[in-house]
Amino acid sequence: MRLPLLLLAAVVHAAPAQRPNIVFVFSDDHAYQAISAYGDSRKLIQTPNIDRLAKDGVRFDRALVTNSICGPSRAVILTGKYSHKNGFYNNSNSVFDGSQVTFPKLMQKAGYQTAIFGKWHLVSDPTGFDAWQILPGQGLYYNPPMKGPSGQIQTKGYVTDIVTDLSIDWISRRDRSKPFVLMCQHKAPHREWAPNIKDLGWDKDRVYPEPETLFDDYSGRSQQVAENDMTLEKTITPLDVKLTRPDNMSPEQIAAWDRYYGPRNEAYRKADPKGRDLVRWRYNRYMHDYLGCVKSVDDNVGRLLAHLEKEGLLENTIVAYSSDQGFYLGEHGWFDKRWIFEESLRTPLLVRWPGVATPGAVSKAIVSNVDFAQTFLDAAGVKAPADMQGRSLRPAMGGSVPDGWRTDFYYHYYEYPRPHHVSPHYGVVTDRYKLVRYYGSGPERTDLFDLEKDPLELRSFAGVAGYESVLADLEARLGRLRKELEVPAQEDPYASGALKRAPGKGGKAGKKKAPEKK
Ligand code: CA
C-alpha cells in the first residue's frame, strides 16, 4: 500500500510513542525438558503453541533463577531484586512486603493498565494491579476458589482453562486507550500434577524413556546432596501418583477420574512392583500426570495467542513465556527443584518481541528472572530504579551474547529443612563451571562442577588436582558477586535470626510435623 508522503511521515513519527503491551505467561514448575522447542532427548512432549514463541522470537538456553522455588522467584520477578533484598526467602514463613517498589507499580504510574490472574503465592494480597484474581495459597486444580479485590469467588472447571479465561476476558474488556501488562500465571504443572479430566489418557499409556540418572546414588558429591528428601523412591506420596484422588472434584469429574485411574491403579496393586520396578512405575505415572498438565498449559497458550491475534494485538505485544524455576523429571531420581544443578537452576524463557527479538534466535547469554522487571520497564520506556539488581534483556534479543554481558551468576537457596531437606546453599555459575557452598546443615562443604566434563553433574572436582586455578577463580567471582549484590556477610539467615526454620525433620523449631505443602 502506498501512503501519501505527509501521512507516511506522520506514521513514522508516531511509532516511537506507541508503547508495547506485555503479556507474561508464567507457569509453576515447568521444566525446559518438557517444552519441545528446547529439544529434550527424551522427546517427552510436543508443545506447538509455546514453540511458536521460539519460532517468532528468542529462546534463552541459559535463563537462570536466583533461588529455585515458587514464592521467592515471584518476588524476584516483581522487584528485580534477590531474596536478601526483597525479603521473601522461602515458602515456609516469608510474607511479601507489598509496599515495595515493583515493576507493575512503576508501569501503572507510567500509564499502563496492569492485571494478574492465577497463581500468586506471596501470602500478602497483590499491590500494583488494576485487576487481579488469584488462587489462595497453592490453589486447586479442579473448581478452584479464587480471591479478588472484592472477596472470594467459586469457579467451575480446570484451573489452567480458568486462568486463561480470566486473562482473555480482561483483554477484551480493557481500556483501549492505554497499553497494558497482563500476568497470566498458571498453577500447573505444580505438584500434585492433576491433568484436565478431558486429557486423562492423553499419552495412550506410553512408556517414557528414562533419564540417565534415574538411579543416581549421590556419590561423588558432598553428603548434603545424598541427604535430600525429594525422590521418586522415598518421598512421593499416594496423592502424587494418583493412588488417591485430588480434592474438590465434582461427581462428574470423580466418575471420569475413576474411569481412567481405577483400572490402572488396580493393575498396579495386583503387580505390586518393588525396588527399581516401583520407581519406574512411579516415574511413568508422574510423567503421564505432569506432562498432561503441561499439555493443557500449551493448549491455553494457543488460546491466548489466538485471542491476541483476533484483537489485532500481536504486532504490538511482547509475549514472554517462563516458569518460576526448572524441575526434575526423574533426573537424579528426583521430582521438585531447589538445587543449583541444571534442571532446577534453569528455567524456560521464550520471548516474542516484534521488531526487537530476532525470530528463531537461540541465546546462550546468562539471563535471569532478576532481569524481567528491568526488561519490561525498558520496553515501556520507564527508567528502572538504580537499586534493581538485573538488567534489561533488550540487547540480548538479537540472539548473540552482547558485549560486556555478565559472565557469571550468583545463586542462593534457603528453605530448610522442610519440606525436602535440601541444604541451604549458595554459589557461582559460569558458562562452564559451578562452585557450590552448602551451609547450615552440618559441616560446611564445597562442590565444584565442570559442565563440559560432567554435564550430568555427578562429580565434584573440588580438591581434584588440576582444578586449583579454576577453584581460585570461582572463589574470586563469588566474592565479587556477593559484594556487588550486597549479600549480608552473615551467610546463614537462620543463624542470624532473619529467618525461622520451618518445623519438621532436622529442624530446631516445632515438634509437630507441618502439613505437606510443597
Ligand atoms: Ca514453582
PDB file of all heavy atoms in Angstrom, residues 27-30 69-71 74 119 190 323-327 337 518, ligand 1:
ATOM      1  N   SER A  27       4.236 -20.162  34.206  1.00  0.00           N
ATOM      2  CA  SER A  27       3.731 -21.392  34.803  1.00  0.00           C
ATOM      3  C   SER A  27       4.553 -21.721  36.040  1.00  0.00           C
ATOM      4  O   SER A  27       5.534 -21.043  36.341  1.00  0.00           O
ATOM      5  CB  SER A  27       3.778 -22.528  33.786  1.00  0.00           C
ATOM      6  OG  SER A  27       5.064 -22.569  33.204  1.00  0.00           O
ATOM      7  N   ASP A  28       4.149 -22.751  36.739  1.00  0.00           N
ATOM      8  CA  ASP A  28       4.777 -23.095  38.008  1.00  0.00           C
ATOM      9  C   ASP A  28       5.439 -24.466  37.891  1.00  0.00           C
ATOM     10  O   ASP A  28       4.747 -25.462  37.676  1.00  0.00           O
ATOM     11  CB  ASP A  28       3.697 -23.107  39.103  1.00  0.00           C
ATOM     12  CG  ASP A  28       4.285 -23.128  40.492  1.00  0.00           C
ATOM     13  OD1 ASP A  28       5.349 -23.731  40.679  1.00  0.00           O
ATOM     14  OD2 ASP A  28       3.667 -22.547  41.400  1.00  0.00           O
ATOM     15  N   ASP A  29       6.749 -24.505  38.009  1.00  0.00           N
ATOM     16  CA  ASP A  29       7.492 -25.778  37.952  1.00  0.00           C
ATOM     17  C   ASP A  29       7.535 -26.390  36.552  1.00  0.00           C
ATOM     18  O   ASP A  29       7.586 -27.616  36.416  1.00  0.00           O
ATOM     19  CB  ASP A  29       6.905 -26.830  38.923  1.00  0.00           C
ATOM     20  CG  ASP A  29       7.038 -26.455  40.390  1.00  0.00           C
ATOM     21  OD1 ASP A  29       7.638 -25.405  40.690  1.00  0.00           O
ATOM     22  OD2 ASP A  29       6.543 -27.228  41.238  1.00  0.00           O
ATOM     23  N   HIS A  30       7.530 -25.577  35.524  1.00  0.00           N
ATOM     24  CA  HIS A  30       7.579 -26.122  34.166  1.00  0.00           C
ATOM     25  C   HIS A  30       9.041 -26.306  33.723  1.00  0.00           C
ATOM     26  O   HIS A  30       9.747 -25.342  33.472  1.00  0.00           O
ATOM     27  CB  HIS A  30       6.836 -25.212  33.189  1.00  0.00           C
ATOM     28  CG  HIS A  30       6.624 -25.844  31.847  1.00  0.00           C
ATOM     29  ND1 HIS A  30       5.886 -25.257  30.862  1.00  0.00           N
ATOM     30  CD2 HIS A  30       7.045 -27.031  31.332  1.00  0.00           C
ATOM     31  CE1 HIS A  30       5.864 -26.046  29.799  1.00  0.00           C
ATOM     32  NE2 HIS A  30       6.570 -27.127  30.060  1.00  0.00           N
ATOM     33  N   ILE A  69      12.698 -21.735  43.751  1.00  0.00           N
ATOM     34  CA  ILE A  69      11.496 -22.120  44.490  1.00  0.00           C
ATOM     35  C   ILE A  69      10.415 -21.072  44.234  1.00  0.00           C
ATOM     36  O   ILE A  69      10.716 -19.922  43.917  1.00  0.00           O
ATOM     37  CB  ILE A  69      11.853 -22.330  45.990  1.00  0.00           C
ATOM     38  CG1 ILE A  69      10.640 -22.720  46.806  1.00  0.00           C
ATOM     39  CG2 ILE A  69      12.521 -21.119  46.564  1.00  0.00           C
ATOM     40  CD1 ILE A  69      11.012 -23.133  48.226  1.00  0.00           C
ATOM     41  N   CYS A  70       9.139 -21.523  44.399  1.00  0.00           N
ATOM     42  CA  CYS A  70       7.992 -20.767  43.874  1.00  0.00           C
ATOM     43  C   CYS A  70       7.890 -19.307  44.320  1.00  0.00           C
ATOM     44  O   CYS A  70       8.074 -18.393  43.524  1.00  0.00           O
ATOM     45  CB  CYS A  70       6.704 -21.480  44.263  1.00  0.00           C
ATOM     46  SG  CYS A  70       6.679 -23.219  43.824  1.00  0.00           S
ATOM     47  N   GLY A  71       7.551 -19.079  45.602  1.00  0.00           N
ATOM     48  CA  GLY A  71       7.316 -17.715  46.080  1.00  0.00           C
ATOM     49  C   GLY A  71       8.517 -16.807  45.860  1.00  0.00           C
ATOM     50  O   GLY A  71       8.389 -15.703  45.307  1.00  0.00           O
ATOM     51  N   ARG A  74       8.866 -15.484  42.373  1.00  0.00           N
ATOM     52  CA  ARG A  74       7.847 -14.467  42.051  1.00  0.00           C
ATOM     53  C   ARG A  74       8.230 -13.111  42.634  1.00  0.00           C
ATOM     54  O   ARG A  74       8.042 -12.065  41.997  1.00  0.00           O
ATOM     55  CB  ARG A  74       6.484 -14.919  42.585  1.00  0.00           C
ATOM     56  CG  ARG A  74       5.944 -16.087  41.794  1.00  0.00           C
ATOM     57  CD  ARG A  74       5.053 -17.010  42.608  1.00  0.00           C
ATOM     58  NE  ARG A  74       5.053 -18.305  41.939  1.00  0.00           N
ATOM     59  CZ  ARG A  74       4.252 -18.634  40.937  1.00  0.00           C
ATOM     60  NH1 ARG A  74       3.316 -17.795  40.538  1.00  0.00           N
ATOM     61  NH2 ARG A  74       4.346 -19.801  40.347  1.00  0.00           N
ATOM     62  N   LYS A 119      -1.879 -17.999  39.779  1.00  0.00           N
ATOM     63  CA  LYS A 119      -1.028 -18.286  40.938  1.00  0.00           C
ATOM     64  C   LYS A 119      -0.254 -17.039  41.366  1.00  0.00           C
ATOM     65  O   LYS A 119       0.381 -16.380  40.548  1.00  0.00           O
ATOM     66  CB  LYS A 119      -0.056 -19.402  40.546  1.00  0.00           C
ATOM     67  CG  LYS A 119       0.910 -19.828  41.626  1.00  0.00           C
ATOM     68  CD  LYS A 119       0.323 -20.883  42.536  1.00  0.00           C
ATOM     69  CE  LYS A 119       1.350 -21.382  43.536  1.00  0.00           C
ATOM     70  NZ  LYS A 119       2.051 -22.594  43.111  1.00  0.00           N
ATOM     71  N   HIS A 190       2.453 -27.625  38.685  1.00  0.00           N
ATOM     72  CA  HIS A 190       2.915 -27.851  40.065  1.00  0.00           C
ATOM     73  C   HIS A 190       2.362 -29.158  40.636  1.00  0.00           C
ATOM     74  O   HIS A 190       1.301 -29.608  40.241  1.00  0.00           O
ATOM     75  CB  HIS A 190       2.453 -26.654  40.920  1.00  0.00           C
ATOM     76  CG  HIS A 190       3.049 -26.626  42.292  1.00  0.00           C
ATOM     77  ND1 HIS A 190       2.542 -27.366  43.332  1.00  0.00           N
ATOM     78  CD2 HIS A 190       4.114 -25.949  42.789  1.00  0.00           C
ATOM     79  CE1 HIS A 190       3.274 -27.147  44.414  1.00  0.00           C
ATOM     80  NE2 HIS A 190       4.228 -26.288  44.105  1.00  0.00           N
ATOM     81  N   SER A 323       8.780 -19.884  33.548  1.00  0.00           N
ATOM     82  CA  SER A 323       8.292 -20.590  34.728  1.00  0.00           C
ATOM     83  C   SER A 323       9.072 -20.086  35.930  1.00  0.00           C
ATOM     84  O   SER A 323      10.141 -19.505  35.778  1.00  0.00           O
ATOM     85  CB  SER A 323       8.504 -22.094  34.543  1.00  0.00           C
ATOM     86  OG  SER A 323       8.111 -22.789  35.710  1.00  0.00           O
ATOM     87  N   ASP A 324       8.542 -20.320  37.142  1.00  0.00           N
ATOM     88  CA  ASP A 324       9.227 -19.774  38.322  1.00  0.00           C
ATOM     89  C   ASP A 324      10.571 -20.455  38.595  1.00  0.00           C
ATOM     90  O   ASP A 324      11.417 -19.907  39.265  1.00  0.00           O
ATOM     91  CB  ASP A 324       8.327 -19.773  39.566  1.00  0.00           C
ATOM     92  CG  ASP A 324       7.724 -21.115  39.874  1.00  0.00           C
ATOM     93  OD1 ASP A 324       7.940 -22.072  39.105  1.00  0.00           O
ATOM     94  OD2 ASP A 324       7.021 -21.228  40.900  1.00  0.00           O
ATOM     95  N   GLN A 325      10.746 -21.639  38.081  1.00  0.00           N
ATOM     96  CA  GLN A 325      12.049 -22.321  38.062  1.00  0.00           C
ATOM     97  C   GLN A 325      11.935 -23.549  37.199  1.00  0.00           C
ATOM     98  O   GLN A 325      10.861 -23.851  36.698  1.00  0.00           O
ATOM     99  CB  GLN A 325      12.620 -22.709  39.403  1.00  0.00           C
ATOM    100  CG  GLN A 325      11.868 -22.992  40.650  1.00  0.00           C
ATOM    101  CD  GLN A 325      10.555 -23.655  40.699  1.00  0.00           C
ATOM    102  OE1 GLN A 325       9.671 -23.161  41.378  1.00  0.00           O
ATOM    103  NE2 GLN A 325      10.359 -24.785  40.020  1.00  0.00           N
ATOM    104  N   GLY A 326      13.057 -24.271  37.084  1.00  0.00           N
ATOM    105  CA  GLY A 326      13.016 -25.559  36.396  1.00  0.00           C
ATOM    106  C   GLY A 326      12.530 -26.648  37.333  1.00  0.00           C
ATOM    107  O   GLY A 326      12.055 -26.365  38.441  1.00  0.00           O
ATOM    108  N   PHE A 327      12.659 -27.901  36.903  1.00  0.00           N
ATOM    109  CA  PHE A 327      12.108 -29.015  37.680  1.00  0.00           C
ATOM    110  C   PHE A 327      12.785 -30.305  37.257  1.00  0.00           C
ATOM    111  O   PHE A 327      13.271 -30.420  36.134  1.00  0.00           O
ATOM    112  CB  PHE A 327      10.596 -29.110  37.412  1.00  0.00           C
ATOM    113  CG  PHE A 327       9.787 -29.589  38.587  1.00  0.00           C
ATOM    114  CD1 PHE A 327       9.678 -28.825  39.729  1.00  0.00           C
ATOM    115  CD2 PHE A 327       9.109 -30.811  38.544  1.00  0.00           C
ATOM    116  CE1 PHE A 327       8.916 -29.249  40.810  1.00  0.00           C
ATOM    117  CE2 PHE A 327       8.346 -31.246  39.617  1.00  0.00           C
ATOM    118  CZ  PHE A 327       8.240 -30.469  40.754  1.00  0.00           C
ATOM    119  N   LYS A 337      12.660 -29.265  42.898  1.00  0.00           N
ATOM    120  CA  LYS A 337      13.543 -28.225  42.340  1.00  0.00           C
ATOM    121  C   LYS A 337      14.636 -27.863  43.356  1.00  0.00           C
ATOM    122  O   LYS A 337      15.382 -28.707  43.754  1.00  0.00           O
ATOM    123  CB  LYS A 337      12.693 -26.996  41.970  1.00  0.00           C
ATOM    124  CG  LYS A 337      11.804 -26.467  43.091  1.00  0.00           C
ATOM    125  CD  LYS A 337      10.342 -26.770  42.883  1.00  0.00           C
ATOM    126  CE  LYS A 337       9.508 -26.170  44.002  1.00  0.00           C
ATOM    127  NZ  LYS A 337       8.071 -26.385  43.807  1.00  0.00           N
ATOM    128  N   LYS A 518       4.512 -28.295  49.746  1.00  0.00           N
ATOM    129  CA  LYS A 518       5.304 -28.040  48.545  1.00  0.00           C
ATOM    130  C   LYS A 518       5.673 -29.321  47.843  1.00  0.00           C
ATOM    131  O   LYS A 518       6.363 -30.134  48.357  1.00  0.00           O
ATOM    132  CB  LYS A 518       6.563 -27.281  48.923  1.00  0.00           C
ATOM    133  CG  LYS A 518       6.312 -25.865  49.252  1.00  0.00           C
ATOM    134  CD  LYS A 518       5.677 -25.099  48.131  1.00  0.00           C
ATOM    135  CE  LYS A 518       6.542 -25.170  46.871  1.00  0.00           C
ATOM    136  NZ  LYS A 518       5.822 -24.758  45.696  1.00  0.00           N
TER     137      LYS A 518
HETATM  138 CA    CA B   1       7.442 -23.349  41.383  1.00  0.00          CA
END
